[in-house]
Amino acid sequence: RMGAYGEAQKDLTFFLENFKAHKLAGNAQYWLGETHYVRRDYKAAATAFLDGYTTFAGSSKAPDSLLKLGMTLVIMGEKKTGCDAFAELSSKFPDATQSVIQRAEIERQRAGCL
């Protein structure tokens, strides 16, 4: 919130390197992706969100990570892969929060996914 994304990235990376099994590691991974995303480092963001989705599939932030992965891929020009991520979100996480489901639908339409 304060815009200290570099410092947040450093702290989140430290947390993940030292506490990968912590119950909040999935949340930390998601927020690490956000530090890259807001600074438009989309390649690093995509990597972080993919890791958040795959490594921490049981985390409450896994659906959010998949949503942001799709958004990031679309921004990077990988429309089909981004659309695939949105579709996977719907199939793997039908019970995701309404805000995630709604945002995925908005982003799917924005990207022109079929």
Side-chain angles (χ1 to χ4, degrees):
R1 291 183 187 179
M2 296 175 6
Y5 302 114
E7 187 175 321
Q9 178 185 342
K10 180 180 168 188
D11 291 344
L12 290 164
T13 300
F14 175 84
F15 179 84
L16 289 163
E17 288 172 352
N18 292 283
F19 304 102
K20 194 104 176 167
H22 192 279
K23 67 180 181 175
L24 294 177
N27 289 42
Q29 186 65 46
Y30 170 81
W31 289 110
L32 177 61
E34 283 289 336
T35 67
H36 295 294
Y37 187 87
V38 298
R39 292 183 292 161
R40 296 186 171 134
D41 183 357
Y42 297 122
K43 184 175 180 179
T47 299
F49 291 131
L50 179 61
D51 195 28
Y53 170 59
T54 57
T55 303
F56 303 102
S59 166
S60 64
K61 282 295 197 186
D64 301 79
S65 291
L66 188 53
L67 169 63
K68 291 303 283 253
L69 174 61
M71 292 169 59
T72 304
L73 290 167
V74 169
I75 288 170
M76 293 172 63
E78 299 290 335
K79 178 183 166 184
K80 181 182 180 330
T81 310
C83 290
D84 290 346
F86 298 140
E88 189 165 337
L89 174 61
S90 297
S91 66
K92 294 253 177 151
F93 300 104
D95 297 327
T97 63
Q98 271 307 113
S99 61
V100 169
I101 291 169
Q102 289 172 347
R103 181 70 185 269
E105 184 54 35
I106 290 167
E107 296 300 330
R108 183 179 320 180
Q109 289 177 9
R110 183 177 291 157
C113 302
L114 300 176

